[in-house]
Amino acid sequence: MGKADDNKKHKMENLLNTSFELFTSQGINKTSISDIVNKAGVAKGTFYLYFKDKYDIRNRLISHKSSQLFMQAYNALQETGINDFEGRLIFIMDYVLDELEANKGLLAFIYKDLSWAVFKKALTTPMSSDDVDFGKVYEDMLEESGMKFTNPEVMLFMIIELVGSTGYSSIMYNDPVSLKDLKPHLETSVRSIIKQFTVQ
Amino acid sequence: MGKADDNKKHKMENLLNTSFELFTSQGINKTSISDIVNKAGVAKGTFYLYFKDKYDIRNRLISHKSSQLFMQAYNALQETGINDFEGRLIFIMDYVLDELEANKGLLAFIYKDLSWAVFKKALTTPMSSDDVDFGKVYEDMLEESGMKFTNPEVMLFMIIELVGSTGYSSIMYNDPVSLKDLKPHLETSVRSIIKQFTVQ
Amino acid sequence: MGKADDNKKHKMENLLNTSFELFTSQGINKTSISDIVNKAGVAKGTFYLYFKDKYDIRNRLISHKSSQLFMQAYNALQETGINDFEGRLIFIMDYVLDELEANKGLLAFIYKDLSWAVFKKALTTPMSSDDVDFGKVYEDMLEESGMKFTNPEVMLFMIIELVGSTGYSSIMYNDPVSLKDLKPHLETSVRSIIKQFTVQ
Amino acid sequence: MGKADDNKKHKMENLLNTSFELFTSQGINKTSISDIVNKAGVAKGTFYLYFKDKYDIRNRLISHKSSQLFMQAYNALQETGINDFEGRLIFIMDYVLDELEANKGLLAFIYKDLSWAVFKKALTTPMSSDDVDFGKVYEDMLEESGMKFTNPEVMLFMIIELVGSTGYSSIMYNDPVSLKDLKPHLETSVRSIIKQFTVQ
DNA sequence: TATGAATGAGGGTTCATTCAT
DNA sequence: CATGAATGAACCCTCATTCAT
C-alpha cells in the first residue's frame, strides 16, 4: 500500500508540476486541461481524480509557490546577520523582488487574480506538510523586533500591495522605471510606512 | 454625409455603452460578443466593422472611463479652495476612491488587467475629443504647486499603485480593513511619499 | 430574402429528417448530436441554431409524425364509405397498427417515453402549418356520429392506451400473439369500451 | 463456507437494495455505477463481480419487485372472502394500483422499458427462492373459478396492458383523470374483457 | 474475492469569426 | 454599410469498464 500511495502522490505532483510549467509559460487562460494531461502523460479523467478544475489546481499552486518563495527569503535572511526589523523586512522584499525578476512566469502567475485575501490565505494556510505558515513567521519577527505597532496587519498589507504592484510593473514592463531604479524609492517608502505604524 | 457620420458614431457609441454595461455588471470574461450585439440591437458582423475584438473595445473603455473619472475628480477639486499640492492630490484620491466604492462594477472592470502602462496611456492619450489629457493636468498641478520634485512620474506611479491596490482590496473585500478605516493610513503614506520626492 | 428563408427551412428539415432516420434506426439514446450533424452534413454549431437539444428535436418529431400518421389514417377513412362511429374508429385503429407494423422504427420511436399527455399535445397542437389538429377531427367525428358519450376524452384515452400498449407488444415481440391474432380481440374490446361510454 | 456464502449473498443484496433506492428515487438514467457503489460502500470493481451492468441489475429488480407486488396483492386477496373470478382480478388490480400510487418511484421504475415479455418473465420466473411464480397462481385462480376461457393468456395480457398504461398516466400525471376517477371505468372495461374471453 | 486508481472515448455545448447576401 | 446564418475548433466533464495489486 505504501507503493500505491507513493504512486498516487507521484502522479499528483506530476500534475502540479506540469500545470505550473504551463501556467507560467503560457498563462492559465491559454492552458487547457487537455494541455496539462497531455504533457503530464496521463488520461483526462485522471485529472479529475485529483482536482476539481483548473482553478483548484491554480489556487493550490499559488499557495504553495508563494509560501515557498517567502520561506526561501526567510531562510536566506537567517544566514545574514541583519537584526533590525526594518532591515529584515527590506531584505525579504529585495529577495522576493529579485526572485520574481528572475522568474517572470512565476510573477505573472501568482500576481494575476491575486488579492490580499487570497494572498493572506496562501501565507497562513500551508498547503502541504512541507509548507510553513508565514503568518506565524511574521508574528515572530514582530515579537523579536522589540517594537510595538498600532496595526501590524494593515502595515504588512500596505507594504505588500505597494511593493507588489509597483514591482510588477517595473519587472514586467520596465515602466516607468526598472526594478533596479525602483528599489531605492521603495526602500524609503517602506521605511516610512513602518515608521507610520510604530508606537514610540 | 454629416448624417451618415452621425449614424456611424451613434452605432459605435451604442456598442461602447452596451459593452460597458455588460462588462461592469457581469465581467468581461462572462460577456460574449453575442451578448453585446443582442443587447445593442445590431448584427454580429457589425461589431467587427468597428472593433477588432472584445479586448479592443475593453481597452478603449478603460481609457475613456479612467480619464472621465479623473477629470470628474479634478473638476470637483476646482470648486474647493484647496491650494496646497498635497491636499489637492489627496482630494483627488479620496474622490476617486469614493466613486469606485459606489460603483464596484467599474472598479472591477478598470482594475482587472490594469497595469501602469495601460493606465498611463489611458490618462495621457484622450480617446475621444471630449476626453482630456490628465498627464497635462498633472503637469499643471506640479507647476502651480511652486514645488520641485526629483522624479514626479515615479512619485505618481507609486501613489497610484499604492492607492489602487490597497483601495481595491478594501472596497471589494473589506479586507483587511474597510475603505473608511484605510483612508487615514493611506493619507499618511501618500504624504510621506510626496515628501520623499520633494526637493527642498 | 425568400431565398435565405428557403435555405433556412431546408436546413431545418434536413436536420429533422436526418434525426428521424437515426432515431428510428438506432434509437435516440444511441444517437448523438455528432451523428446527426455528420449525417446531415452541417456543422455542430448549426444544430444549436435550430434546436435546444436532442429532446427538443425528438418532441417535435413525435408531434409531427404522430399527427401525420393519424391524418393519413383519417384521409384513408374518408375514401371508404364507413359511416358508423365504431367502424370508423376501428378502421383508424387498424390503419395505424398496420402502418406501425410496417415501420417498427417509427413505432419504437413514438412509443418510447410516450405518455398520454405528450400524445394529446402531439395530436392537438400541430407543429408545422401542414399538420392538422387531430383533436378537432375527433370532435367532428363525435358530432357526425349522432351519438352521445358520457366522457369522450376518457373513452379515447382508454382505447388508445389499450391499442397502443397491446399493439406495441404484438408488433415488436409477437408476444403473446401476433398483431394479426390480436386484432379481433382488440376490435371486440374497443366496441365494448365505446358501448360503455355511450349514453342511450 | 456457509459464512462466505452468506457474506456473498449479503453483498449482493446490499447492491440490489441500494440500486433500487437510487433507481426509484432519481431514475435509472441519472444513477451511475459510482452512485451505487458509493452508497453501498463497496468498491467499483466489486459491482462487476456480481452484475454485468446497470441493466442487468435493473432487470433482476423489476422481476423481483413485480413479483413481490403481485404476491402482496394475492395474499391480501386471500384474507378477503371474495370468491368470484372477476371480483378477485379486480381486487388485485385495485390493490396494485393503490400500491403504485403510493409509491410513484416504484411505478416509474417498473413501468419504464417494461414490455409484456419482460413482465411475463418477471411473473413466471422467480428471481430468488422467496419469490413465487405468479404464473402458477394465475393458473390456480383460473381453475378455482370453475369457468372456461378461450385464451386466458391474451385475456390477462390485455387486462394488464390496459390497466398498466392507463393507470400509469393517471397516477403520474393525473391526466386525463385521476386514478380515483379512472377506476370505475377500468372496472367496467375489465369485466367486459373477461366476458369477451369467457366460454359459456 | 475485493479493491479503486486509471483510463479515454465520447458526450453536450459555446462562441469568435467569416462571408454571401 | 449591415446582416446573421454558418462554421468548427475547442472547451470541460462524465462514466462504464479494466486490471494490477
Side-chain angles (χ1 to χ4, degrees):
Chain A
M1 84 187 98
K3 197 172 173 184
D5 276 8
D6 274 12
N7 202 330
K8 195 174 161 179
K9 189 166 186 178
H10 185 259
K11 216 147 221 169
M12 189 160 183
E13 277 176 1
N14 183 12
L15 280 168
L16 279 166
N17 292 335
T18 305
S19 299
F20 183 68
E21 280 174 45
L22 290 169
F23 288 167
T24 52
S25 65
Q26 62 187 48
I28 188 168
N29 284 325
K30 303 231 161 182
T31 303
S32 70
I33 307 275
S34 288
D35 293 341
I36 296 169
V37 295
N38 283 343
K39 191 161 194 219
V42 299
K44 225 178 204 168
T46 307
F47 180 92
Y48 293 94
L49 291 178
Y50 294 98
F51 306 100
K52 202 180 143 286
D53 55 27
K54 209 164 66 173
Y55 301 98
D56 180 19
I57 210 170
R58 178 198 63 184
N59 290 340
R60 297 199 207 199
L61 279 172
I62 287 183
S63 290
H64 180 59
K65 295 292 174 177
S66 307
S67 177
Q68 218 174 35
L69 181 57
F70 274 76
M71 284 320 297
Q72 274 175 32
Y74 187 70
N75 291 338
L77 172 65
Q78 302 298 61
E79 298 190 356
T80 71
I82 304 175
N83 270 318
D84 65 303
F85 182 72
E86 286 185 18
R88 301 184 84 186
L89 265 195
I90 282 167
F91 176 88
I92 290 176
M93 173 188 97
D94 275 347
Y95 186 98
V96 168
L97 285 173
D98 289 342
E99 206 64 33
L100 292 174
E101 185 170 42
N103 191 347
K104 292 180 188 174
L106 175 59
L107 172 58
F109 173 61
I110 67 175
Y111 194 78
K112 199 73 161 152
D113 293 319
L114 194 63
S115 70
W116 166 253
V118 172
F119 201 63
K120 191 170 60 178
K121 184 169 167 287
L123 291 187
T124 56
T125 53
M127 261 287 301
S128 76
S129 50
D130 307 331
D131 291 355
V132 188
D133 184 342
F134 190 76
K136 288 240 173 65
V137 172
Y138 181 58
E139 276 177 31
D140 292 347
M141 283 175 64
L142 289 169
E143 203 152 325
E144 290 164 13
S145 73
M147 298 163 74
K148 200 103 209 303
F149 301 98
T150 55
N151 198 331
E153 190 186 15
V154 175
M155 179 173 80
L156 183 62
F157 165 63
M158 290 183 73
I159 291 171
I160 284 182
E161 292 291 343
L162 173 63
V163 173
S165 57
T166 56
Y168 183 79
S169 180
S170 285
I171 292 171
M172 300 299 277
Y173 308 108
N174 258 305
D175 191 345
V177 286
S178 69
L179 179 61
K180 186 170 153 293
D181 292 342
L182 176 67
K183 273 183 171 178
H185 298 301
L186 265 186
E187 185 174 332
T188 309
S189 295
V190 168
R191 287 188 193 276
S192 296
I193 291 173
I194 294 173
K195 196 161 294 158
Q196 144 187 5
F197 283 91
T198 304
V199 178
Q200 306 299 7
Chain B
M1 86 187 99
K3 199 173 169 186
D5 275 10
D6 274 12
N7 201 332
K8 189 175 165 180
K9 188 167 184 179
H10 185 259
K11 221 154 215 167
M12 190 160 185
E13 276 177 2
N14 184 11
L15 282 167
L16 279 165
N17 291 336
T18 305
S19 299
F20 182 67
E21 279 174 46
L22 291 169
F23 288 168
T24 53
S25 66
Q26 63 187 44
I28 189 168
N29 284 326
K30 304 231 160 181
T31 302
S32 68
I33 306 277
S34 283
D35 293 339
I36 295 169
V37 295
N38 282 343
K39 192 162 191 215
V42 301
K44 234 178 201 165
T46 306
F47 180 92
Y48 292 91
L49 295 176
Y50 295 97
F51 305 100
K52 198 179 149 287
D53 55 25
K54 206 165 65 174
Y55 301 98
D56 179 17
I57 212 170
R58 178 198 62 184
N59 289 340
R60 299 200 205 195
L61 278 173
I62 287 182
S63 292
H64 179 58
K65 294 293 173 178
S66 306
S67 176
Q68 216 172 38
L69 182 58
F70 273 76
M71 284 318 298
Q72 272 175 35
Y74 187 69
N75 290 338
L77 172 65
Q78 302 299 63
E79 299 190 356
T80 70
I82 305 175
N83 271 317
D84 66 301
F85 181 71
E86 287 185 15
R88 300 184 85 188
L89 266 195
I90 283 166
F91 177 88
I92 290 176
M93 172 188 98
D94 275 346
Y95 186 97
V96 168
L97 285 173
D98 289 341
E99 207 63 33
L100 292 174
E101 185 170 42
N103 191 346
K104 292 180 186 175
L106 175 59
L107 172 57
F109 174 60
I110 66 176
Y111 193 79
K112 199 76 161 153
D113 296 319
L114 192 63
S115 69
W116 167 253
V118 171
F119 200 64
K120 191 171 59 180
K121 182 168 167 288
L123 292 187
T124 56
T125 54
M127 260 283 300
S128 75
S129 51
D130 307 330
D131 291 355
V132 186
D133 185 341
F134 190 75
K136 288 239 173 63
V137 172
Y138 181 56
E139 277 176 31
D140 291 348
M141 282 175 64
L142 290 170
E143 201 151 324
E144 288 164 13
S145 73
M147 299 163 74
K148 199 105 207 306
F149 302 98
T150 54
N151 197 332
E153 190 186 16
V154 174
M155 178 173 80
L156 183 62
F157 165 63
M158 289 182 73
I159 290 171
I160 284 183
E161 292 290 344
L162 173 63
V163 174
S165 60
T166 56
Y168 182 80
S169 179
S170 284
I171 291 171
M172 298 301 275
Y173 308 108
N174 258 306
D175 192 348
V177 286
S178 68
L179 179 61
K180 188 171 152 293
D181 292 342
L182 176 68
K183 273 182 169 179
H185 299 301
L186 266 186
E187 185 173 331
T188 308
S189 295
V190 168
R191 287 188 192 276
S192 296
I193 291 173
I194 293 173
K195 196 161 294 159
Q196 144 186 5
F197 283 91
T198 304
V199 178
Q200 303 302 5
Chain C
M1 90 188 92
K3 196 173 175 185
D5 276 8
D6 273 14
N7 202 330
K8 196 174 161 179
K9 189 165 185 179
H10 186 259
K11 215 148 221 168
M12 188 158 183
E13 275 176 4
N14 183 12
L15 280 167
L16 279 166
N17 291 336
T18 305
S19 299
F20 183 67
E21 279 174 45
L22 289 170
F23 288 168
T24 52
S25 65
Q26 62 188 45
I28 188 169
N29 284 326
K30 303 232 162 182
T31 302
S32 69
I33 307 276
S34 288
D35 293 340
I36 296 170
V37 296
N38 283 343
K39 191 160 194 219
V42 299
K44 228 177 195 175
T46 306
F47 180 91
Y48 292 94
L49 290 179
Y50 294 97
F51 307 100
K52 199 181 146 285
D53 54 28
K54 209 163 65 174
Y55 300 98
D56 179 19
I57 211 170
R58 178 198 61 184
N59 289 340
R60 297 199 207 198
L61 279 172
I62 287 182
S63 290
H64 180 60
K65 295 291 174 178
S66 306
S67 177
Q68 216 174 39
L69 181 58
F70 273 76
M71 283 320 296
Q72 273 175 34
Y74 186 70
N75 291 337
L77 172 64
Q78 301 299 62
E79 299 190 356
T80 71
I82 305 176
N83 270 317
D84 64 304
F85 181 72
E86 287 185 17
R88 301 184 85 186
L89 265 195
I90 283 166
F91 176 88
I92 290 176
M93 173 188 96
D94 274 346
Y95 187 97
V96 168
L97 285 173
D98 289 342
E99 206 64 33
L100 292 174
E101 184 169 42
N103 191 347
K104 292 181 186 174
L106 175 60
L107 172 57
F109 174 62
I110 66 176
Y111 194 78
K112 197 77 159 153
D113 294 319
L114 194 62
S115 69
W116 167 253
V118 172
F119 200 63
K120 191 171 57 179
K121 184 170 166 287
L123 291 186
T124 56
T125 54
M127 261 287 299
S128 76
S129 50
D130 306 331
D131 291 356
V132 187
D133 184 342
F134 190 75
K136 289 241 174 62
V137 173
Y138 181 58
E139 276 176 32
D140 291 349
M141 284 175 63
L142 289 170
E143 203 152 324
E144 289 165 13
S145 74
M147 300 163 74
K148 200 103 206 300
F149 301 98
T150 56
N151 197 333
E153 189 186 17
V154 175
M155 178 173 79
L156 183 60
F157 165 64
M158 290 183 74
I159 291 172
I160 284 183
E161 293 291 343
L162 173 63
V163 173
S165 57
T166 56
Y168 183 79
S169 180
S170 285
I171 291 171
M172 299 300 276
Y173 309 107
N174 258 307
D175 189 350
V177 286
S178 68
L179 179 61
K180 186 171 152 291
D181 292 343
L182 176 69
K183 273 182 168 179
H185 299 300
L186 266 186
E187 184 172 333
T188 309
S189 295
V190 168
R191 289 188 190 275
S192 294
I193 291 172
I194 294 172
K195 195 162 297 160
Q196 144 186 7
F197 282 90
T198 304
V199 178
Q200 304 302 5
Chain D
M1 87 187 101
K3 198 173 172 185
D5 276 9
D6 273 12
N7 201 333
K8 189 174 163 179
K9 187 167 186 180
H10 185 259
K11 221 154 218 168
M12 190 159 183
E13 277 177 1
N14 185 11
L15 281 168
L16 279 164
N17 291 335
T18 304
S19 299
F20 182 67
E21 280 174 46
L22 290 171
F23 289 168
T24 51
S25 66
Q26 63 188 44
I28 188 168
N29 284 324
K30 304 230 160 181
T31 302
S32 68
I33 307 278
S34 283
D35 292 340
I36 296 169
V37 296
N38 282 343
K39 193 162 191 213
V42 300
K44 234 180 203 162
T46 307
F47 180 92
Y48 291 92
L49 295 176
Y50 294 97
F51 305 101
K52 197 179 149 288
D53 56 26
K54 206 164 69 175
Y55 301 98
D56 179 18
I57 212 169
R58 178 198 61 184
N59 289 339
R60 299 202 207 194
L61 278 172
I62 287 181
S63 291
H64 179 59
K65 295 292 172 177
S66 307
S67 176
Q68 216 174 39
L69 181 59
F70 273 76
M71 283 319 296
Q72 273 175 34
Y74 186 70
N75 290 338
L77 172 65
Q78 302 298 63
E79 299 189 355
T80 72
I82 303 175
N83 271 316
D84 65 303
F85 181 73
E86 287 185 16
R88 299 184 85 185
L89 265 195
I90 284 166
F91 176 88
I92 290 176
M93 172 189 97
D94 275 345
Y95 186 98
V96 168
L97 285 173
D98 290 341
E99 207 64 33
L100 291 174
E101 184 170 43
N103 191 347
K104 292 179 185 175
L106 175 60
L107 172 57
F109 173 61
I110 66 176
Y111 192 78
K112 202 74 161 152
D113 295 319
L114 193 64
S115 70
W116 167 254
V118 172
F119 201 64
K120 188 171 62 180
K121 183 169 167 284
L123 291 186
T124 56
T125 53
M127 261 283 301
S128 75
S129 50
D130 307 331
D131 291 355
V132 188
D133 184 340
F134 190 76
K136 289 239 174 62
V137 173
Y138 181 58
E139 278 177 30
D140 291 349
M141 282 175 64
L142 290 169
E143 202 149 326
E144 290 164 11
S145 75
M147 298 162 74
K148 200 101 206 304
F149 302 98
T150 56
N151 196 333
E153 190 187 16
V154 174
M155 178 173 79
L156 183 61
F157 166 63
M158 290 184 72
I159 291 172
I160 284 182
E161 293 290 344
L162 173 62
V163 173
S165 57
T166 56
Y168 183 79
S169 179
S170 285
I171 291 172
M172 299 300 275
Y173 309 107
N174 258 306
D175 191 347
V177 285
S178 67
L179 178 61
K180 187 171 152 292
D181 291 342
L182 175 69
K183 274 180 167 180
H185 298 300
L186 265 185
E187 185 172 334
T188 309
S189 295
V190 169
R191 287 187 191 276
S192 294
I193 291 172
I194 294 172
K195 195 162 297 162
Q196 143 187 6
F197 283 91
T198 305
V199 178
Q200 303 304 4

